Amino acid sequence: MNRAANNRTVLVAVHTGRGAAVDSARLVIDRLVKAGITVRVLDTEADEIGRADAEVVPAHPDAARDAEVMFVLGGDGSLLRAAELARPAGTPLLGVNLGHVGFLAEAEVADLASAVDSVVACRYDVEERMTIDVVARQNGRVLADTWALNEATIEKQGRMLELVAEIDGRPLSRWGCDGVICATPTGSTAYAFSAGGPVVWPEVDALLMVPISAHALFAKPLVVSPRSTLAVEIMPDTPSGTLWCDGRRRFELPSGSRVEVRRGAAPVRLARLHGVESTGAPFTDRLVAKFELPVQGWRGRARP
């Protein structure tokens, strides 16, 4: 990757509710501007960032158009919000974790300066993450037509839901439950993991279906083909439910609704850095670090 600095643009987004995130955003902007790179900030965040040398743009998908990278300073929630802007433009996201787990982030705040320098020097690759497209209907009427990077969740509003799960047009099982999660491999370490689903490595092409607190003999997490279509129907005589996508977009699901989930038409792109010690690590190492898994005693492969 070899680009003239004066032709480069980076979009910076920040969790403005955190002072540390705003300070970090200023550092990022300062280093990028000094390197001759044009920096954009969102109009909803510009006042708190307070940098006159950044171009202010509306918080709309056009904000990321033609941007080389979108820096996101916050937690995974901030990155999911940023994905709504970056996905339509195909702009890679580079997350800097200022939250708790931060599975989607590429760098920790201690590595911030090195992460910026890697972008300035074009020392990064771009990885594509599967998304899901989600459509909800009731009697032919479209209730929702949306997407998710992590998961789509059908949840109860009060009393337990009665649902029928379907895979590729064939009924699988009926569950009385609190809900069902349909997730991507990226989302396997999020809500699906909390509900007892498996951890799926990001490079695996698959879709997950995970029932939540199901009262049924067969209610195990399922891993299916990325070409499959998952569907969940709310029984007509059961209470209404709610559809959540990435915990951000909410839709009402009246009794008798049907939700269909399939592989998304467009991925979300993530920037992966070179030469930053705590980033670019294999997924196994990230898993061990984020969950503080015990690996004492590991000796590794015997050497000749």
Side-chain angles (χ1 to χ4, degrees):
M1 205 175 293
N2 204 3
R3 301 178 184 173
N6 58 4
N7 292 327
R8 301 174 68 189
T9 299
V10 170
L11 175 60
V12 176
V14 60
H15 188 315
T16 53
R18 296 178 177 169
V22 174
D23 291 341
S24 296
R26 291 170 182 154
L27 184 151
V28 170
I29 293 168
D30 185 61
R31 294 181 82 94
L32 291 172
V33 168
K34 285 179 178 176
I37 296 174
T38 300
V39 177
R40 296 176 189 162
V41 296
L42 303 175
D43 57 0
T44 52
E45 302 169 357
D47 287 346
E48 289 203 49
I49 294 172
R51 290 291 302 235
D53 48 1
E55 176 188 351
V56 179
V57 294
H60 179 274
D62 284 343
R65 198 168 305 281
D66 301 322
E68 179 183 331
V69 167
M70 182 174 181
F71 261 96
V72 184
L73 298 110
D76 279 351
S78 299
L79 203 140
L80 290 171
R81 174 170 59 90
E84 296 173 4
L85 303 179
R87 182 185 186 237
T91 301
L93 295 165
L94 198 161
V96 179
N97 182 37
L98 286 95
H100 299 293
V101 179
F103 252 106
L104 292 171
E106 176 63 5
E108 299 296 325
V109 69
D111 304 305
L112 185 57
S114 297
V116 178
D117 291 346
S118 291
V119 170
V120 170
C122 298
R123 294 194 304 268
Y124 65 89
D125 297 317
V126 176
E127 171 185 305
E128 292 190 344
R129 292 291 184 92
M130 179 194 299
T131 60
I132 49 176
D133 287 337
V134 186
V135 178
R137 298 182 178 87
Q138 184 198 36
N139 298 326
R141 178 171 64 97
V142 175
L143 306 172
D145 188 351
T146 185
W147 69 280
L149 171 59
N150 272 353
E151 75 279 305
T153 308
I154 297 92
E155 298 181 7
K156 68 175 185 178
Q157 292 185 359
R159 292 189 293 122
M160 184 174 66
L161 291 173
E162 285 289 338
L163 306 175
V164 172
E166 173 192 300
I167 307 292
D168 294 328
R170 302 304 303 160
L172 176 74
S173 187
R174 177 167 172 163
W175 298 318
C177 59
D178 288 350
V180 175
I181 302 168
C182 298
T184 65
T186 299
S188 72
T189 51
Y191 193 176
F193 177 81
S194 299
V199 174
V200 179
W201 265 237
E203 61 268 25
V204 175
D205 274 349
L207 295 173
L208 286 73
M209 178 180 280
V210 182
I212 306 171
S213 303
H215 296 242
L217 180 62
F218 182 83
K220 297 296 183 182
L222 306 172
V223 180
V224 304
S225 165
R227 296 177 295 279
S228 289
T229 298
L230 314 182
V232 176
E233 295 182 354
I234 300 179
M235 294 293 94
D237 56 350
T238 196
S240 58
T242 302
L243 170 65
W244 283 97
C245 289
D246 283 341
R248 291 189 44 78
R249 298 178 295 282
R250 180 180 185 275
F251 306 90
E252 294 293 322
L253 294 176
S255 299
S257 298
R258 175 184 170 90
V259 178
E260 294 182 352
V261 176
R262 53 180 53 86
R263 183 177 191 150
V268 166
R269 308 176 79 213
L270 301 180
R272 293 305 188 201
L273 303 176
H274 306 167
V276 178
E277 184 176 347
S278 66
T279 61
F283 183 72
T284 305
D285 293 351
R286 290 174 181 246
L287 204 63
V288 169
K290 298 298 184 182
F291 289 133
E292 299 180 353
L293 301 178
V295 294
Q296 296 86 353
W298 176 73
R299 298 175 63 189
R301 182 182 299 169
R303 296 179 181 176

